[in-house]
Amino acid sequence: MKERGLQDCINENLEKYFSDLNGESSNGVFKMVKQQAESATIKFVLDKVNQNHSEAARILGINRATLKKKVGLYNL
């Protein structure tokens, strides 16, 4: 059995997204996917380190100020 990767999950969800549109037009898909991936990743890492922003920023490879901004942006 093949292990599903992140790209497989994205493709599956994009297929569903476009199917659910029922022929309606769409725009901003890249921004939507990027924001959802970013917010999910930040939330996951924060949960793993018990909301320790310094440790989460280190793991994510961003500075704490950027993390704080994104936490506010995504209401995490």
Side-chain angles (χ1 to χ4, degrees):
M1 181 168 155
K2 181 184 172 201
E3 186 175 316
R4 286 177 33 127
L6 184 56
Q7 187 171 353
D8 295 326
C9 294
I10 293 168
N11 288 342
E12 182 180 309
N13 280 282
L14 283 172
E15 284 289 347
K16 182 177 179 348
Y17 172 79
F18 281 102
S19 175
D20 290 348
L21 286 176
N22 282 329
E24 294 290 321
S25 76
S26 178
N27 61 35
V29 172
F30 180 74
K31 183 177 180 181
M32 175 190 69
V33 170
K34 184 179 140 204
Q35 288 175 338
Q36 288 184 6
E38 187 173 64
S39 65
T41 303
I42 291 169
K43 182 179 181 338
F44 181 87
V45 171
L46 281 169
D47 289 346
K48 283 291 183 188
V49 297
N50 296 316
Q51 308 305 311
N52 181 324
H53 285 211
S54 294
E55 183 67 6
R58 185 192 65 75
I59 290 168
L60 292 165
I62 60 177
N63 67 47
R64 281 182 4 126
T66 300
L67 177 60
K68 183 176 180 177
K69 177 180 159 190
K70 290 180 183 292
V71 165
L73 176 67
Y74 299 124
N75 296 312
L76 303 174

